[in-house]
């Protein structure tokens, strides 16, 4: 089941998410990318109801882009996080989106940052955060091994430790993960951790 | 489990001699899982007025944003800060506006009024004020806080003794509550200065 987690290192932020599209007991897909590149220097890793997740993250992405067009300056990471929280909080008392979000970003003045926003719109700036069943394992692993100012190698090592723990201890562990990174050079995909390749079905 | 106990919190305000203190724990949790241990529950409205918000964290954030907005409008129109009594009435009416779909928060208001007379008050989630001469408590640890404050509080304490009393009351109370703790945040306010201190507590 869903595992989304992230951490802040020295000059970068990393987020990882499982890539399984699950419906009750069926796995429909194991290469579903749940981390959206919000703009050049922001990543949104989301978990929750699949429809809400896609709808809401795209809505945020387009509105952040609209802001940039109108004002000629991009939204900072804290500004984008507060905007996201605002939208989620307004929706909460009408028809709520059930999406949990980890928003990672890099700003020239602020440096890397990671924001925790849950589906009821609780916003908090964190060094490390996680959602879903995987959080029971990844949070503990990160509590044990995380320290401030981690290098990229250390951080990737920690992310791999978390993935290994989820794979070995979680009954409903997803097979594949995607890791994305954001630093001064922008937001981009870093790597995949796949234990199961999607096989193409031979046509009948 | 009550929605008021979803994130966990502990809040106190105490009156001293021409001063007051307001303190909170620092935990942000989702039920039994701890998300962060540096969460802000006490907000400064102006130099002599503080607001603590216990209960559901998302509603605390929304409520705080609305109250700051209203206070800024007041400052612009009146060219002065709000008196604590006035602010309490504002909080009360904003809460009662949502009588049939409340913000799940219990606020604590502490401030210095005319001639630096301390004012403390708490409210339920629909804005029923409860004024007190000595101390007020709120949050998931409120039962144990009542006991601690009842036995430790003395009237007319000087700022230093007040700090010691409120800190001891907070730290001993949160140890009996699973949903609050992980350090404390204390403000001691006199007419001339605001003293802010972070307390280390049991991290389990």
């Amino acid at each position: 089941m869903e595992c989304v987690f992230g951490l802040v290192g020295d000059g970068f932020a990393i987020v990882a998410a499982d890539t399984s599209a699950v419906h009750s007991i069926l796995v429909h897909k194991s290469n579903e990318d749940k981390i959206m590149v919000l703009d050049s220097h922001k990543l949104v890793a989301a978990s929750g109801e699949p429809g809400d997740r896609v709808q809401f993250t795209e809505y945020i992405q387009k509105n952040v882009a609209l802001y940039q067009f109108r004002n000629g300056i991009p939204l900072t990471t804290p500004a984008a996080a507060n905007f996201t929280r605002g939208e989620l909080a307004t929706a909460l008392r009408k028809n709520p989106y059930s999406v949990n979000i980890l928003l990672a970003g890099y700003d020239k003045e602020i440096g890397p940052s990671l924001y925790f926003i849950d589906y009821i719109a609780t916003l908090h700036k964190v060094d490390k955060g996680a959602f879903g069943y995987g959080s029971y394992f990844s949070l503990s692993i990160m509590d044990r091994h995380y320290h401030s100012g981690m290098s990229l190698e250390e951080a990737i090592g920690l992310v791999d430790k978390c993935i290994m723990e989820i794979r070995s201890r979680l009954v409903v562990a997803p097979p594949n993960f995607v890791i994305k990174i954001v630093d001064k050079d922008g937001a981009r995909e870093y790597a995949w951790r796949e234990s199961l390749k999607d096989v193409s079905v031979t046509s009948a | 489990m009550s929605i008021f106990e979803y994130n966990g919190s502990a809040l106190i305000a105490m009156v001293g001699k021409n001063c007051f203190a307001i303190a909170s724990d620092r935990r942000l949790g989702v039920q039994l899982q701890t998300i962060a241990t540096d969460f802000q529950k006490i907000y400064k409205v102006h130099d002599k007025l503080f607001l603590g918000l216990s209960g559901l964290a998302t509603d605390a954030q929304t409520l705080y944003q609305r109250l700051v907005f209203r206070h800024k409008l007041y400052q612009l129109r009146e060219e002065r800060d709000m008196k604590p009594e006035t602010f309490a009435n504002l909080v009360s009416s904003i809460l009662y506006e949502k009588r049939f779909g409340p913000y799940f928060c219990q606020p604590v208001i502490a401030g210095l009024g005319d001639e630096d007379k301390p004012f403390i008050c708490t409210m339920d989630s629909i804005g029923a004020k409860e004024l007190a001469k000595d101390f007020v408590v709120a949050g998931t640890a409120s039962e144990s806080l009542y006991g601690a404050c009842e036995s430790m509080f003395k009237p007319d304490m000087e700022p230093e003794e007040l700090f010691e009393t409120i800190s001891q009351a907070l730290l001993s109370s949160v140890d009996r509550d699973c949903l609050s703790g992980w350090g404390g945040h204390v403000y001691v306010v006199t007419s001339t200065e605001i003293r802010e201190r972070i307390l280390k507590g049991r991290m389990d």
Side-chain angles (χ1 to χ4, degrees), chain B residues 30-70:
Chain B
V30 172
Q31 311 230 29
L32 289 173
Q33 188 174 66
T34 301
I35 301 300
T37 58
D38 58 350
F39 192 65
Q40 181 112 18
K41 289 168 198 186
I42 299 173
Y43 304 99
K44 190 171 96 169
V45 181
H46 59 72
D47 286 347
K48 292 177 181 180
L49 180 56
F50 286 76
L51 166 73
L53 291 167
S54 71
L56 194 66
T58 178
D59 282 352
Q61 291 177 333
T62 309
L63 199 53
Y64 168 66
Q65 287 175 353
R66 284 194 62 189
L67 289 168
V68 163
F69 169 71
R70 292 292 293 270

Short mmCIF file of all heavy atoms in Angstrom, two decimals, chain B residues 30-70:
data_model
loop_
_atom_site.label_atom_id
_atom_site.label_comp_id
_atom_site.label_asym_id
_atom_site.label_seq_id
_atom_site.Cartn_x
_atom_site.Cartn_y
_atom_site.Cartn_z
N VAL B 30 -0.51 12.71 14.54
CA VAL B 30 -1.75 12.27 13.90
C VAL B 30 -2.13 11.02 14.66
O VAL B 30 -1.50 9.98 14.50
CB VAL B 30 -1.56 12.01 12.40
CG1 VAL B 30 -2.80 11.36 11.82
CG2 VAL B 30 -1.27 13.30 11.67
N GLN B 31 -3.10 11.15 15.55
CA GLN B 31 -3.45 10.12 16.53
C GLN B 31 -2.20 9.75 17.32
O GLN B 31 -1.63 10.61 17.98
CB GLN B 31 -4.10 8.93 15.83
CG GLN B 31 -5.21 9.40 14.91
CD GLN B 31 -6.50 8.66 15.11
OE1 GLN B 31 -6.81 8.20 16.19
NE2 GLN B 31 -7.28 8.56 14.05
N LEU B 32 -1.74 8.49 17.22
CA LEU B 32 -0.60 8.09 18.06
C LEU B 32 0.75 8.29 17.36
O LEU B 32 1.80 8.07 17.95
CB LEU B 32 -0.75 6.64 18.51
CG LEU B 32 -1.86 6.43 19.55
CD1 LEU B 32 -2.06 4.95 19.82
CD2 LEU B 32 -1.55 7.15 20.84
N GLN B 33 0.73 8.67 16.08
CA GLN B 33 1.98 8.88 15.36
C GLN B 33 2.46 10.33 15.50
O GLN B 33 1.69 11.25 15.26
CB GLN B 33 1.78 8.55 13.88
CG GLN B 33 3.07 8.55 13.08
CD GLN B 33 2.83 8.08 11.65
OE1 GLN B 33 2.15 8.73 10.87
NE2 GLN B 33 3.38 6.94 11.30
N THR B 34 3.74 10.49 15.87
CA THR B 34 4.28 11.84 16.03
C THR B 34 4.86 12.31 14.71
O THR B 34 5.72 11.64 14.14
CB THR B 34 5.35 11.86 17.12
OG1 THR B 34 4.76 11.41 18.33
CG2 THR B 34 5.88 13.26 17.34
N ILE B 35 4.39 13.44 14.22
CA ILE B 35 4.85 14.00 12.95
C ILE B 35 6.02 14.94 13.18
O ILE B 35 7.01 14.90 12.46
CB ILE B 35 3.70 14.77 12.25
CG1 ILE B 35 2.51 13.85 11.98
CG2 ILE B 35 4.17 15.43 10.96
CD1 ILE B 35 2.78 12.66 11.11
N ALA B 36 5.89 15.80 14.19
CA ALA B 36 6.96 16.77 14.44
C ALA B 36 6.99 17.15 15.92
O ALA B 36 6.00 16.98 16.63
CB ALA B 36 6.73 18.01 13.59
N THR B 37 8.12 17.64 16.36
CA THR B 37 8.25 18.04 17.76
C THR B 37 8.67 19.50 17.86
O THR B 37 9.29 19.91 18.82
CB THR B 37 9.27 17.14 18.47
OG1 THR B 37 10.51 17.24 17.79
CG2 THR B 37 8.82 15.72 18.51
N ASP B 38 8.31 20.28 16.85
CA ASP B 38 8.58 21.71 16.89
C ASP B 38 7.38 22.49 16.39
O ASP B 38 7.52 23.46 15.65
CB ASP B 38 9.84 22.04 16.08
CG ASP B 38 9.71 21.62 14.61
OD1 ASP B 38 8.74 20.90 14.28
OD2 ASP B 38 10.56 22.01 13.80
N PHE B 39 6.21 22.06 16.80
CA PHE B 39 4.98 22.69 16.30
C PHE B 39 4.58 23.88 17.17
O PHE B 39 4.63 23.79 18.40
CB PHE B 39 3.85 21.66 16.27
CG PHE B 39 2.64 22.11 15.51
CD1 PHE B 39 2.69 22.35 14.15
CD2 PHE B 39 1.43 22.29 16.17
CE1 PHE B 39 1.57 22.76 13.45
CE2 PHE B 39 0.30 22.71 15.47
CZ PHE B 39 0.37 22.94 14.11
N GLN B 40 4.19 24.95 16.52
CA GLN B 40 3.83 26.18 17.23
C GLN B 40 2.34 26.17 17.58
O GLN B 40 1.51 26.01 16.69
CB GLN B 40 4.13 27.37 16.30
CG GLN B 40 3.82 28.70 16.92
CD GLN B 40 5.07 29.51 17.19
OE1 GLN B 40 6.11 29.23 16.62
NE2 GLN B 40 4.96 30.50 18.03
N LYS B 41 2.03 26.35 18.87
CA LYS B 41 0.62 26.42 19.27
C LYS B 41 0.27 27.75 19.89
O LYS B 41 -0.89 28.08 20.10
CB LYS B 41 0.32 25.31 20.28
CG LYS B 41 0.33 23.95 19.62
CD LYS B 41 0.34 22.81 20.56
CE LYS B 41 0.80 21.60 19.77
NZ LYS B 41 0.73 20.37 20.51
N ILE B 42 1.32 28.54 20.23
CA ILE B 42 1.08 29.86 20.80
C ILE B 42 1.50 30.90 19.76
O ILE B 42 2.58 30.80 19.18
CB ILE B 42 1.88 30.06 22.10
CG1 ILE B 42 1.44 29.03 23.13
CG2 ILE B 42 1.68 31.45 22.65
CD1 ILE B 42 2.26 29.02 24.38
N TYR B 43 0.62 31.85 19.54
CA TYR B 43 0.90 32.89 18.55
C TYR B 43 0.87 34.26 19.21
O TYR B 43 0.06 34.50 20.10
CB TYR B 43 -0.16 32.86 17.45
CG TYR B 43 -0.31 31.54 16.75
CD1 TYR B 43 -1.32 30.65 17.10
CD2 TYR B 43 0.57 31.17 15.73
CE1 TYR B 43 -1.46 29.43 16.45
CE2 TYR B 43 0.43 29.96 15.08
CZ TYR B 43 -0.59 29.09 15.44
OH TYR B 43 -0.74 27.89 14.80
N LYS B 44 1.77 35.13 18.75
CA LYS B 44 1.77 36.50 19.26
C LYS B 44 0.83 37.34 18.41
O LYS B 44 0.97 37.36 17.19
CB LYS B 44 3.18 37.07 19.21
CG LYS B 44 3.31 38.40 19.94
CD LYS B 44 4.74 38.83 20.05
CE LYS B 44 5.06 39.79 18.93
NZ LYS B 44 6.35 40.46 19.11
N VAL B 45 -0.12 38.00 19.06
CA VAL B 45 -1.02 38.88 18.32
C VAL B 45 -0.41 40.28 18.27
O VAL B 45 -0.30 40.89 17.23
CB VAL B 45 -2.42 38.90 18.95
CG1 VAL B 45 -3.35 39.81 18.16
CG2 VAL B 45 -2.99 37.50 19.02
N HIS B 46 -0.02 40.81 19.44
CA HIS B 46 0.86 41.97 19.50
C HIS B 46 1.71 41.84 20.76
O HIS B 46 1.61 40.82 21.45
CB HIS B 46 0.10 43.30 19.40
CG HIS B 46 -0.94 43.52 20.46
ND1 HIS B 46 -0.62 43.80 21.77
CD2 HIS B 46 -2.29 43.49 20.40
CE1 HIS B 46 -1.74 43.96 22.46
NE2 HIS B 46 -2.76 43.75 21.66
N ASP B 47 2.53 42.86 21.07
CA ASP B 47 3.51 42.73 22.16
C ASP B 47 2.93 42.34 23.51
O ASP B 47 3.62 41.77 24.34
CB ASP B 47 4.30 44.02 22.31
CG ASP B 47 5.31 44.18 21.19
OD1 ASP B 47 5.53 43.18 20.48
OD2 ASP B 47 5.84 45.29 21.02
N LYS B 48 1.64 42.66 23.74
CA LYS B 48 1.05 42.36 25.05
C LYS B 48 -0.15 41.42 24.95
O LYS B 48 -0.99 41.40 25.84
CB LYS B 48 0.63 43.67 25.73
CG LYS B 48 1.81 44.53 26.12
CD LYS B 48 1.34 45.83 26.72
CE LYS B 48 2.53 46.69 27.10
NZ LYS B 48 2.10 47.97 27.68
N LEU B 49 -0.22 40.68 23.85
CA LEU B 49 -1.38 39.78 23.67
C LEU B 49 -0.98 38.50 22.95
O LEU B 49 -0.43 38.54 21.85
CB LEU B 49 -2.47 40.52 22.89
CG LEU B 49 -3.77 39.76 22.60
CD1 LEU B 49 -4.41 39.25 23.88
CD2 LEU B 49 -4.73 40.62 21.84
N PHE B 50 -1.24 37.39 23.60
CA PHE B 50 -0.89 36.09 23.03
C PHE B 50 -2.11 35.20 22.94
O PHE B 50 -3.03 35.29 23.74
CB PHE B 50 0.19 35.41 23.89
CG PHE B 50 1.54 36.02 23.70
CD1 PHE B 50 1.84 37.25 24.28
CD2 PHE B 50 2.52 35.40 22.93
CE1 PHE B 50 3.08 37.84 24.09
CE2 PHE B 50 3.76 35.98 22.74
CZ PHE B 50 4.05 37.21 23.32
N LEU B 51 -2.06 34.33 21.93
CA LEU B 51 -3.19 33.43 21.68
C LEU B 51 -2.66 32.01 21.56
O LEU B 51 -1.73 31.75 20.80
CB LEU B 51 -3.86 33.86 20.36
CG LEU B 51 -4.85 32.90 19.72
CD1 LEU B 51 -6.15 32.88 20.50
CD2 LEU B 51 -5.12 33.30 18.28
N GLY B 52 -3.23 31.10 22.34
CA GLY B 52 -2.87 29.68 22.22
C GLY B 52 -4.05 28.94 21.63
O GLY B 52 -5.19 29.22 21.98
N LEU B 53 -3.78 28.03 20.69
CA LEU B 53 -4.88 27.29 20.09
C LEU B 53 -4.65 25.79 20.23
O LEU B 53 -3.70 25.25 19.66
CB LEU B 53 -5.03 27.68 18.62
CG LEU B 53 -5.54 29.10 18.35
CD1 LEU B 53 -5.34 29.48 16.90
CD2 LEU B 53 -6.99 29.25 18.74
N SER B 54 -5.51 25.15 21.02
CA SER B 54 -5.41 23.69 21.16
C SER B 54 -6.51 23.04 20.33
O SER B 54 -7.42 23.73 19.87
CB SER B 54 -5.58 23.31 22.63
OG SER B 54 -6.92 23.49 23.02
N GLY B 55 -6.40 21.75 20.14
CA GLY B 55 -7.40 21.04 19.36
C GLY B 55 -6.89 20.65 18.00
O GLY B 55 -5.69 20.40 17.83
N LEU B 56 -7.78 20.64 17.01
CA LEU B 56 -7.41 20.20 15.65
C LEU B 56 -6.45 21.22 15.02
O LEU B 56 -6.80 22.39 14.85
CB LEU B 56 -8.67 20.05 14.81
CG LEU B 56 -8.51 19.31 13.49
CD1 LEU B 56 -8.17 17.85 13.71
CD2 LEU B 56 -9.79 19.41 12.68
N ALA B 57 -5.26 20.77 14.64
CA ALA B 57 -4.20 21.68 14.17
C ALA B 57 -4.60 22.47 12.93
O ALA B 57 -4.31 23.66 12.82
CB ALA B 57 -2.92 20.90 13.91
N THR B 58 -5.28 21.81 12.00
CA THR B 58 -5.67 22.52 10.77
C THR B 58 -6.61 23.68 11.07
O THR B 58 -6.47 24.78 10.53
CB THR B 58 -6.29 21.56 9.74
OG1 THR B 58 -6.70 22.28 8.61
CG2 THR B 58 -7.49 20.81 10.30
N ASP B 59 -7.57 23.46 11.99
CA ASP B 59 -8.49 24.53 12.36
C ASP B 59 -7.78 25.62 13.15
O ASP B 59 -8.11 26.80 13.01
CB ASP B 59 -9.67 23.96 13.16
CG ASP B 59 -10.70 23.29 12.27
OD1 ASP B 59 -10.57 23.39 11.03
OD2 ASP B 59 -11.63 22.65 12.80
N ALA B 60 -6.79 25.23 13.93
CA ALA B 60 -5.99 26.21 14.67
C ALA B 60 -5.29 27.14 13.67
O ALA B 60 -5.29 28.36 13.85
CB ALA B 60 -4.98 25.52 15.56
N GLN B 61 -4.74 26.57 12.60
CA GLN B 61 -4.04 27.38 11.60
C GLN B 61 -5.01 28.29 10.86
O GLN B 61 -4.73 29.47 10.65
CB GLN B 61 -3.29 26.47 10.62
CG GLN B 61 -2.12 25.77 11.28
CD GLN B 61 -1.39 24.79 10.36
OE1 GLN B 61 -1.97 24.24 9.43
NE2 GLN B 61 -0.13 24.55 10.64
N THR B 62 -6.15 27.75 10.47
CA THR B 62 -7.16 28.55 9.77
C THR B 62 -7.63 29.70 10.67
O THR B 62 -7.70 30.85 10.25
CB THR B 62 -8.37 27.68 9.37
OG1 THR B 62 -7.90 26.54 8.68
CG2 THR B 62 -9.33 28.45 8.49
N LEU B 63 -7.95 29.35 11.91
CA LEU B 63 -8.46 30.32 12.86
C LEU B 63 -7.44 31.42 13.12
O LEU B 63 -7.78 32.61 13.12
CB LEU B 63 -8.79 29.60 14.17
CG LEU B 63 -9.73 30.27 15.15
CD1 LEU B 63 -11.02 30.68 14.48
CD2 LEU B 63 -10.04 29.33 16.30
N TYR B 64 -6.19 31.03 13.28
CA TYR B 64 -5.13 32.00 13.53
C TYR B 64 -5.03 32.98 12.36
O TYR B 64 -4.95 34.20 12.55
CB TYR B 64 -3.80 31.30 13.75
CG TYR B 64 -2.63 32.25 13.73
CD1 TYR B 64 -2.48 33.21 14.73
CD2 TYR B 64 -1.69 32.22 12.71
CE1 TYR B 64 -1.43 34.12 14.70
CE2 TYR B 64 -0.63 33.12 12.67
CZ TYR B 64 -0.51 34.06 13.66
OH TYR B 64 0.52 34.96 13.63
N GLN B 65 -5.06 32.44 11.14
CA GLN B 65 -4.97 33.31 9.96
C GLN B 65 -6.13 34.30 9.91
O GLN B 65 -5.94 35.48 9.60
CB GLN B 65 -4.93 32.47 8.68
CG GLN B 65 -3.59 31.77 8.52
CD GLN B 65 -3.54 30.83 7.31
OE1 GLN B 65 -4.54 30.58 6.65
NE2 GLN B 65 -2.36 30.29 7.04
N ARG B 66 -7.34 33.84 10.24
CA ARG B 66 -8.50 34.73 10.23
C ARG B 66 -8.40 35.79 11.31
O ARG B 66 -8.75 36.96 11.09
CB ARG B 66 -9.79 33.93 10.45
CG ARG B 66 -10.24 33.18 9.23
CD ARG B 66 -11.66 32.69 9.36
NE ARG B 66 -12.60 33.80 9.51
CZ ARG B 66 -13.89 33.64 9.82
NH1 ARG B 66 -14.37 32.43 10.02
NH2 ARG B 66 -14.68 34.69 9.94
N LEU B 67 -7.89 35.40 12.49
CA LEU B 67 -7.79 36.34 13.60
C LEU B 67 -6.72 37.40 13.34
O LEU B 67 -6.93 38.58 13.65
CB LEU B 67 -7.51 35.61 14.91
CG LEU B 67 -8.69 34.80 15.45
CD1 LEU B 67 -8.26 33.88 16.56
CD2 LEU B 67 -9.80 35.72 15.92
N VAL B 68 -5.61 36.99 12.76
CA VAL B 68 -4.55 37.94 12.43
C VAL B 68 -5.08 38.95 11.41
O VAL B 68 -4.86 40.16 11.53
CB VAL B 68 -3.31 37.22 11.86
CG1 VAL B 68 -2.39 38.19 11.15
CG2 VAL B 68 -2.55 36.57 12.99
N PHE B 69 -5.83 38.44 10.44
CA PHE B 69 -6.43 39.31 9.41
C PHE B 69 -7.34 40.35 10.06
O PHE B 69 -7.22 41.55 9.78
CB PHE B 69 -7.20 38.42 8.43
CG PHE B 69 -8.08 39.15 7.47
CD1 PHE B 69 -7.53 39.91 6.44
CD2 PHE B 69 -9.46 39.08 7.58
CE1 PHE B 69 -8.35 40.59 5.55
CE2 PHE B 69 -10.28 39.76 6.69
CZ PHE B 69 -9.73 40.52 5.68
N ARG B 70 -8.21 39.89 10.96
CA ARG B 70 -9.14 40.82 11.62
C ARG B 70 -8.40 41.81 12.51
O ARG B 70 -8.77 42.98 12.60
CB ARG B 70 -10.18 40.03 12.43
CG ARG B 70 -11.15 39.23 11.58
CD ARG B 70 -12.07 40.13 10.77
NE ARG B 70 -12.96 40.87 11.63
CZ ARG B 70 -14.17 40.43 12.01
NH1 ARG B 70 -14.62 39.28 11.57
NH2 ARG B 70 -14.93 41.17 12.80
#
